[in-house]
Amino acid sequence: MEALDLLGSIRARRTVDLNHLRPDPIEPATLKSLLEAANWAPSHGKTEPWRFVVFTGEGRLMLAETLATSLALLKGQDQPESEMLRQQRERQLLAPAWIAVAVEPAEKPRMPFYEEQWAVACAVQTLMLAARSVGLASKWISNAPSLHPNTARALGFAETASMMGIIALGYIDGEWPVGERRPIADKVRWIERHDERASIEARG
């Protein structure tokens, strides 16, 4: 498949449901290229706070067990029930690759924590656009189990790190979904004169 250019990837990127992914494995070199793209995201103060753990093959079962345990903890249970664990394993096997994402602030933070989170969000968006450019679908999941502190600890992130969710990656089974957006003109104001503020206040 021919790679899309940047604007093409931006327009064509869609969140794809796990049930619409093929089981075909993704080459490690491809995954590394996506992570390299994410590594060039902007970060205030050049902190580069994004951290990733990649799960493929049987490694996906570790992610499944971790998320099942976090879900059990959310329900006030020490360990997941067998049915909960089975469902989570089935879910994780729907995508050939998963990437857990965390934000890890510097030991002596120079920036507010929310700026570090924004930087990681930029890294995730960059990764998903790079994925679409090479024909890979993605789904960024930020539900309660994926954000639970147990998930960060169990996956080996630093003690100061906080989860930002998990990303499913895979080749789509069928046609790419077509997206829609309202006109950008409905969401933008243009200010071209220095006295524009006064005219806005005058109108009400």
Side-chain angles (χ1 to χ4, degrees), residues 43 49 58 74 83 85 87 90 95-96 113-114 118-119 144 154 177 180 185 190:
S43 60
E58 293 187 1
L74 285 165
E83 178 61 16
L85 186 57
Q87 291 177 355
E90 286 186 355
F113 184 62
Y114 61 79
W118 294 345
E180 294 183 1
W190 294 81

Side-chain angles (χ1 to χ4, degrees), residues 35-139:
L35 294 165
E36 284 287 351
N39 196 39
W40 284 97
S43 60
H44 195 179
K46 300 180 180 179
T47 57
E48 302 178 28
W50 40 82
R51 300 292 184 271
F52 305 103
V53 179
V54 183
F55 300 88
T56 60
E58 293 187 1
R60 293 172 293 174
L61 298 179
M62 175 190 173
L63 177 61
E65 291 167 6
T66 297
L67 293 172
T69 299
S70 294
L71 181 58
L73 292 171
L74 285 165
K75 295 183 175 183
Q77 305 168 358
D78 292 334
Q79 296 294 329
E81 299 172 355
S82 58
E83 178 61 16
M84 183 187 299
L85 186 57
R86 183 193 66 79
Q87 291 177 355
Q88 200 63 54
R89 285 172 174 166
E90 286 186 355
R91 178 177 171 81
Q92 253 54 66
L93 292 177
L94 289 174
W98 290 83
I99 301 178
V101 186
V103 52
E104 183 181 319
E107 291 184 8
K108 296 180 179 180
R110 297 170 50 206
M111 302 299 162
F113 184 62
Y114 61 79
E115 294 230 22
E116 305 288 62
Q117 291 176 305
W118 294 345
V120 175
C122 288
V124 170
Q125 173 74 343
T126 301
L127 188 151
M128 292 191 299
L129 292 177
R132 181 61 185 93
S133 75
V134 296
L136 282 168
S138 62
K139 182 181 179 72

Side-chain angles (χ1 to χ4, degrees), residues 149-163:
N150 172 73
T151 301
R153 290 193 301 269
L155 298 185
F157 289 110
E159 291 185 5
T160 57
S162 298
M163 291 297 299

